[in-house]
Amino acid sequence: MSSSTAPLGEALDGILARLAQLEAKAGIKGPPPPAPTTTTTTTSSSSTPSSSSSSSSGFVTAYDAYLSSVLPPFSSACSALSPSLSVLSSSLSSAWSAQRTFLEAASRARKPTDNAKLQPFFQPYMEAKKAIPNDRDDFENHRKAVGEMFGMLQWIMISPKPVDYLADMSGAVDFWTNKIRVAHKKTGPLHVSFCDALKDVQKGLVAYVKEHHMPGVSYKMNGGVDLADAASPSPSSAPAPVAAAAASAPAPAPRAGGGGGSLLAELSKKSTGDSAATGLKKVTKEQQTWRKEFSGGSGSSVVSASKSAPKKAAPAKSLGPPVFEFKDQGMKWVVECQTSSSNPNGVLTVNVTDPKQQVYIYKCDGATIDIKGKCKGVVVDTATKCNILCDTVISALEVVNGKRLKLQVRGVCPSVAIDKTDGCLTYLSAEAAPATTFVTSKSSEMNVSWPDKDGEYQEKAIPEQFQHKLDVEKGTISSEISDLYSH
């Protein structure tokens, strides 16, 4: 092929490679594309295996279908409600697309022996969640609902039955969407549409996992490679033909016009006002801070202040060394200063061997504590973002000075006491639901979830607002639950 027609041949090879990718994703078997001729050999050879691998794993294709069915409606609902909510749709799309990268790697990899190997795949989730602002405005509950959605992506660490975990996490999302529905039930149909679209994302993920990953992630059974090795080609095999085309398109561009021709074309654009600098504001001498710095003016103070600003951030508080021990005096298990990284797989298991033993949990942050066995009582003191699971509790499960906690009772617990706590979601078993009473004081954002007769989890908010009426003649005060909780 001559040098004059080389750019045209490269462009055609790129188009054929992209068509092959689209046919593979759509399940269309057509004739193989012609072998590339020149420099596009590397590009086409790298894209063909990715398309074949994605088409060979049915659960990756099913995940693509799930994304295409739920993400566009959610993005439309966010845009229709407010332009400021576009960050919610973009963050959710980024995280859900990042999970596709993991699923594609899992289709080629054997099951890892340690869940620590999954940690690199959670980094995109964390970055996407950080993009959601923490503003207090009319859409605060919308942001919190989407923020809770990111917890559902951790189902890849659960085996067996990750569907049960997804059902539990859905309750945390429904807590915020129910608040939105109640506040805008009659006046804001767009808010309700937002909740419906977000609910479809939840239901779609549950249905997908139930169909393709019921016992856990469906790793490759025979001949699989290590998960880290399977993830290495994932950037090129990710479903981004537009990005791949954008990366390869600039290469032929300089050959089209030659070096001198490109320079003359850019100079002609400047004369007509169509260059890259068109529309930029001119910086005057007064706005050029380097002049003040050079002359010893106030420009340097601005730079030094901006550099020193990040140093004002206070360092994170240290919880102290983690403690996990049993004390014979008082028959008490002591769990202190535990975090998500202080235990293997992020879970601390407390094996209770005597019903007279009790468990005391203090100053834990982000930890998951699983109490197995029948115990006398459980006390959770000054804990933040912790998950507490227990079997049967004889006396009571007490929570004090907590923030954003999740409790789960698998057996029976006659009483749950919540004091000075902001954010507490309690999951009750079918056996415990009719027998458990709640005693609350100085607390907010409390919810309780339980399974109905069909096995579907229901969720209600524990009232925190009351109406008090004074009876002057009798000298008494009567209290009733606010109408806010009448639904």
Side-chain angles (χ1 to χ4, degrees), residues 10-307:
E10 292 173 352
L12 290 175
D13 289 339
I15 293 173
L16 291 175
R18 291 173 60 187
L19 287 175
Q21 287 182 342
L22 294 175
E23 289 176 351
K25 292 176 183 177
I28 301 174
K29 295 183 179 180
T37 56
T38 57
T39 58
T40 56
T41 303
T42 304
T43 305
S44 59
S45 62
S46 61
S47 60
T48 304
S50 65
S51 60
S52 62
S53 63
S54 62
S55 60
S56 62
S57 54
F59 62 82
V60 177
T61 304
Y63 190 79
D64 290 338
Y66 155 67
L67 292 183
S68 61
S69 64
V70 297
L71 292 185
F74 178 71
S75 177
S76 301
C78 292
S79 301
L81 189 56
S82 173
S84 63
L85 297 185
S86 60
V87 66
L88 299 185
S89 61
S90 60
S91 298
L92 191 73
S93 299
S94 299
W96 258 244
S97 299
Q99 181 148 102
R100 185 199 185 277
T101 303
F102 164 78
L103 292 173
E104 190 170 7
S107 67
R108 302 189 298 269
R110 57 181 175 269
K111 185 177 180 179
T113 57
D114 187 2
N115 278 342
K117 294 185 178 181
L118 301 179
Q119 294 302 323
F121 294 96
F122 286 95
Q123 188 63 29
Y125 309 160
M126 299 170 61
E127 293 177 356
K129 188 175 181 180
K130 289 179 181 178
I132 300 178
N134 192 21
D135 300 334
R136 289 185 173 272
D137 53 15
D138 295 338
F139 303 108
E140 179 182 5
N141 291 338
H142 301 67
R143 299 186 183 93
K144 290 183 177 180
V146 175
E148 293 289 352
M149 286 285 294
F150 286 83
M152 300 183 68
L153 297 177
Q154 298 185 16
W155 69 268
I156 62 177
M157 301 181 65
I158 308 300
S159 178
K161 294 185 178 180
V163 175
D164 295 343
Y165 170 79
L166 289 175
D168 294 342
M169 293 304 301
S170 296
V173 181
D174 293 339
F175 170 77
W176 298 109
T177 55
N178 287 340
K179 281 193 171 185
I180 300 172
R181 293 179 188 274
V182 171
H184 304 281
K185 179 169 57 177
K186 296 181 180 180
T187 59
L190 293 179
H191 293 269
V192 178
S193 299
F194 171 88
C195 297
D196 293 340
L198 192 60
K199 187 67 176 179
D200 289 340
V201 179
Q202 295 176 248
K203 291 182 177 179
L205 183 59
V206 173
Y208 166 77
V209 174
K210 187 174 183 179
E211 181 177 356
H212 298 279
H213 307 278
M214 191 61 180
V217 178
S218 301
Y219 293 96
K220 190 171 184 179
M221 298 299 295
N222 299 318
V225 299
D226 188 76
L227 186 60
D229 297 335
S232 56
S234 59
S236 61
S237 60
V242 177
S248 60
R255 303 178 187 175
S262 300
L263 178 61
L264 292 176
E266 185 64 24
L267 292 175
S268 63
K269 287 182 180 180
K270 289 182 177 291
S271 62
T272 58
D274 294 332
S275 68
T278 302
L280 296 180
K281 295 182 179 179
K282 184 177 180 180
V283 180
T284 61
K285 290 184 178 181
E286 292 78 8
Q287 295 172 331
Q288 296 175 0
T289 56
W290 67 269
R291 295 180 181 273
K292 297 180 182 180
E293 296 173 9
F294 181 76
S295 59
S298 58
S300 58
S301 61
V302 177
V303 177
S304 61
S306 62
K307 290 183 179 180

Side-chain angles (χ1 to χ4, degrees), residues 387-402:
N387 303 318
I388 312 297
L389 302 90
C390 61
D391 292 336
T392 296
V393 181
I394 297 176
S395 59
L397 171 59
E398 302 179 26
V399 180
V400 60
N401 294 326

Side-chain angles (χ1 to χ4, degrees), residues 325-341:
E325 60 181 358
F326 178 74
K327 294 185 177 181
D328 293 330
Q329 184 178 2
M331 297 283 287
K332 179 169 62 177
W333 286 95
V334 178
V335 181
E336 296 182 358
C337 304
Q338 298 289 335
T339 64
S340 59
S341 59

